[in-house]
Amino acid sequence: MIQSEKQKHRGDEEVVKELCMVNGVSYEKIAQEGGNISSLEIFFSGFPRMVGLSFFPRLRQLTIVGQNIKHIEGLECCPLLQELWVVQCHLTEISGLQNCLQLEKLYLYDNQICEINNLELQINIEVLWLNNNCITQIQGLNTLLNLKELNLADNNIEKIGHSLDPNVSLQHINLSGNKISSFKELTLLARLPHLRELALKDPTSTPNPVCLLCNYATHVLYHMPGLLRLDTYDVSSKQVKEAAESTVMKKMMYYNMRVRTAQRNLAEARFSFIEKKKTLLQFPEECIRTLNRTLKNLERELYKKPAGCKKSACTSEDGPLHLVEGLTDKSDPNTDVSCDPTTEKKILRKIELLKERLMLWTRRLDEIECWYEWDLGRATNRMEYTVQFLLMELESVGNIRLEEGCSTDPWFTSCCDLLLSRFSHLDYKIHRITGIKITRVIRIHNSALRLRFEDRLHTLLASEESVTFSQTYRRRLEHLFYIAYPAKNSEDDDILCILEEGFKTPEQLKALGREGAIPLSNSLIVSEQPRIEYALRQAHQGHSKNSTDTIPFRHGQVSVCKVFVGHSTPIREGETVERSNYPKAFSVYCNVDIKHKTAMSEERPRSSKTHTGSECSPRRRQWFVFDHELVLPEYIIYFEYITGDQEQPALPGRNTDRHGTPSNDIILDKGVLNMEPVLKPQPRLLSLDEKILLNVARANVLSQITVLNLHGNSLSKIKEISRITALRHLTISFNEFTRLDDISHMPNLEFLDASYNRLVTLEGLRGLGQLKELDVRWNKLTNAREDTAVLRKHTPALLKLDTRYNPWNRSEAVRMTVLGRLTTLTHLDDVLVAEEEAADAVQMAAASKINQTSLLAHSRTNSERPRSLSLLSTAHLLRLLSPAPWGLNRDLGPDWTAKITALNLDSQRISKLINLNKLVNLRWASFNDNDISKVEGLDSCLKLEELLLNNNNISTLNGLSNLHCLNKLSLDGNHLSSLDTSVLDQLPNLFFLSVENNCITSLYGIHRVRSLLELYVGNNQICISRDIYYLKGLTNLIILDLYGNPLLERLENYRIYVVFHMPSLKALDGVAVEVTECESAKDMFGGRLTNDMVAEKLGHSNYTDITYLNLQSCSIRMVDLSPADLFSSLRSVNLDHNNLTSFSGLIYLPNIKALCLNYNHIESILPRQKTHLTNRQLLYSKVHSSGYGQQNPSKGNREAGPTGSLEPLMGSLEVLHLSYNGISNMANLQLSRLTNLKALFLQGNEISQVEGLEGLHQLRELVLDRNRIKALAENSFIAQSVLLELHLAENRIRELNHLNPLMELRKLFLGMNKLQDITELDKLEVLPSLTELSVVGNPVARNSLHRPAVVLRLSRLQVLDGVMVTLEERTRAELLTADASPCPQCPGASLLATEINLPGLLPLMPRNTPLRGMSISGGLQNLMCGHDILPSNMDEAQPHYTHKYRKHKHSNAGRSGQSDITLRHIRRTGSNLPTTGLLLDGNRVIITYPNQEQDSRYPNDGKHPPM
């Protein structure tokens, strides 16, 4: 022993020498110099043990690398050590650091450490490296408050947990190369406020599984906005943080919408259940009512006294009751039945039976209520389950997704087939189950679990040496059933945990008291057996939630998992299912044989038996899988067992059998009601006076009446009752009372029965100081708080109160509300009030006021909202996550209220917002589920950002005007009827507004809140499509919910209508907006002129006041103004520069007179049916200038004749503008149907032939300038006998034929055509009324050689080519003709007109200024006076303008201004016979002849219409 110690000592000496040598220290002088050494290093060899360190007491840094050291030791003499490196040294634990209290840096990486411990005393450590060890759990760091850098890379850590919460100084963390797979774990790092660098997939390590998931970086950056580097990447950029913030906020908005949709679905289901419950309750309630009425009648008769006893009874206070009703004689034997003892016994017997029947029907009511609660509970659970699914999706940032299946999904059908194939009704024969119905299938997408499953499977395949195994592993993949363990309330939690994290490990299962493997089966009955037995046991013990269903396990759910069973072996009898018993097996199994029983055993059911022998069928097999990573949940199937021929359990309250005949209960009721004695019906009282009261009470004076029964009348008022001051007992059941105002100031009243009336409030009861019993059952009371406040004030002695069978708001809280305010009650609703219950109610009532106690309990002082993906309100979230800042014994400073930033007072029964004036820094407040009726008391809370007031009684937004910082406001479930514009104007930062379940009828005012991103207005009373236009200004709105409003039913194509008008929407009514919906919306509503569009453009909806409508350049392609009668005042419409192809809905406007449709694509008055387009038409559609418009397919159609057989349209239309529409065929326009048309403008089209005017007999002006007309056909103007003005300038006319029908034509414009021969102008002699002619720009008018001939031929002509025809010019022409007559064969030899100068005459072509530049009213009147064609009273004429033609190119500016000029002239002109002159672009300006017939073609009789 001594020898070994000597050897060890010599060995230690050698180690110390080596240490001194590598650090340059003399071993001989170590005793003298060792105290001065502060740093030592030794690498790779020569230091197997930590010895000799006692020679270096001032050592501050020690580095040991690559040694074979398993324990840290020898540091007891180094108290000053600050930095320690022990790396690559095979350390198995952390130890030996107890005296190193100044240690700041500790590097222990590349060792074999399994646990972090023994660091409690090293409180000064700032850097700790434990990477590349065997650590599985973060722990033991609680005291390291100064820790700034932590490296745990390349370990086996799966969870972070809350172990790092105390290390608030951490700035750098490296967790790369671990097994962290959940985003939830990363979220916990957000609690470290100073964290700046985080590594989870360092390039030198393998990434954590979580790093392979979608949105990994986004999730981390959102929760840790202070990070500067993530996985070695620089993330300090503001843009990066904002992008992450924006992405997460959008996801939160989306999932908030989904959650609200789920909650709304629950509300709809609740409403459906309530309606169904009402239906089921109708008959039982009617039976109860009938039985109760009969019962009360009998009780009244029972206590009647003989006539001779009446006086004494009335004067005795303790005598029997006088419950007499009616006006019958007091001695009538038919009513005074109580005189006969036999009859009295019969009455008592009948009363007893009636009470039995009442008890039966009351139980029936309870059964219906139980059914309602059960169904509502199931719907609520399903909603909560859905919400949990959605929150799981959100928290995993989409890496866990649950997809709802439908019948069109192949996987849905496959799941259904799988379950049905593994179900046999014989297994359930004992329960009378005949089938199964699948109600819902959910597909599970969990990226982390799937990656884990695939990695584990690939690892197994790679480790197997057998080639056969690798080739046949797919045969060992099974789809098996798993059903959660049926413990109390753990089923749902178990499923949610499996969906998120997968199955538990065998160790975790054993810790829960289960077998050490995951139980799975290929048979439904095998998986279901534990749940069925548990449900039956609970039902047997009376704990079943659904007592009305004979099958307590009717509804179930099963998880379908993909399982790799691997090497599987049968379970050996007598051995537990543990991996240690089957070390080489992946799983074990047993075959199961179900024994069908014929009767239910009262003992615990045992219907399955396990066999290991060959006699068991392998069809039903149960597996136990040891490796949880080899079980992947893929589907959840919800199902329902079917019994007999019914798919649903029998509902209570049914009163007829399947043939519709009355049930046995009804027959029994009738039997009891018809038992002797059957009372004689008595007349009902409609009013009371003193005589009737005395008669009813059988008294002589009112002061003698102490008991009064007015049951079963039709009374609604009893003012005289207050005179009966001695009254103690009053019954007014089965009457018509809605209020009890008349029952007041009755100091002796002790009992009041007001059941079976129509009471809506107890307001009005006054001065009932002695009232002890009050019965208000079967009324219509709704507000428990208000009614109990009345009773508390005016009935201080009340002991018994019955409020059942009233439609109370929040019925579940009525009992506690009543008990909290009526502290004297001993019985409530026929149930004894326990002391504990009363104390709890009083305490709850005391907390219903905002005071210091409630503020301290429900407030927080956090400065920021937690970085959490929770959808809870900020106030609620802070209350859950943050501890209360006010300790029990902590002294409150004078300004403690100013520190409050969050206040959550949900469900506190608060009726008024008080004591909030000092909360000047309040930012988040929630007052949901209270009784608040006004928004008040928040004037000092100017920093409020989030305010929730859901489910209160608020009817107006008043009180919010000062909250300019408010960005989130929720007022669901209140009584709002409108959105106050003046309030919304003051909320410029509001981005979230929810006002669902109110009574809002219009969205007017919402356009003021332009910052809105989310708007929820579901379940209101919005019914007009115009309200959608109020939303169009909300350009930032991306989520809109209008579900449940009448608008959805009334508005055809509602959804795409909204999508069209709000193109920025991403989701509507809880459903994402698809790209196809946007396209459909554009196709259907793009360019549609509707009433709403008119209201939007004009700023009002007074359609009947509109006389003039100007909507140019609005991309309109369809007109839908309906009903047309709304626009009865409309006279002028300007729709220039739009995309109309027909008159569309304009034809229905009843009083339209002027219509401008220039620069559209009009093809016809009515829409034409689509036909196959010719190549030329296709060319026109692509190249507008091609000239090939809507060509008539055949020539025969063009010659088909007039369209007079068609029904006339638009009988009021007088002026029509169709310029520049690409029209090529006039016949197709069907203009003949406009029979009252007086002016038609068709310039700038592609018309080649004048036709289709046969029905326009009233036409006065026709403009066809700038077309392609070459000739005039015989029927071109066959019906235009009253045409006054015709424009055919800029066409291709060579001949002037077929003008003879135009007998009244006064003006003809033929400029810029191809007229060459003067003889063509001679044809104009057929126009006897022609006064103005223009042929400028034609070859025949070159050098004005045509003037003498035209002037001579047309004797009435007054203006030629824009120049007045003077008397001198006409005389000169006549003389010229006379001189030239000797040589008629040589017309070309005559002198030029300019060379003729006769004495006293002006030249034939004077160089005067053309008429374009002169005032017609001043010059033309004098020049033209005396001619018959002009009216004589020219002094009253309006100014007229005549323009010469000029060839030019029309510009866009000219085109857009043309119609305005026209309509302005229409508005200011009151004359009747129109003419036009050419503008610079060839368009017409209207000119009129005054004082003609009074049928104007202009609207408003020439007056300026309102704009």
Side-chain angles (χ1 to χ4, degrees), residues 1475-1507:
T1475 184
T1476 64
L1478 273 175
L1479 296 176
L1480 292 179
D1481 65 347
N1483 293 324
R1484 313 306 304 172
V1485 62
I1486 299 175
I1487 306 173
T1488 60
Y1489 289 96
N1491 301 332
Q1492 297 295 326
E1493 64 268 25
Q1494 296 302 313
D1495 52 333
S1496 172
R1497 61 176 174 167
Y1498 310 115
N1500 297 329
D1501 297 326
K1503 298 178 182 178
H1504 193 295
M1507 296 297 288

Side-chain angles (χ1 to χ4, degrees), residues 360-373:
L360 181 141
W361 286 113
T362 303
R363 283 197 302 271
R364 194 65 52 83
L365 294 183
D366 294 339
E367 290 175 3
I368 294 173
E369 187 66 29
C370 181
W371 162 83
Y372 166 76
E373 294 293 341

Side-chain angles (χ1 to χ4, degrees), residues 99 230 559 696 722 816 865 1111 1196:
N99 293 341
L230 175 62
S559 299
V696 171
S722 59
M816 295 301 286
R865 175 186 167 93
L1111 294 174

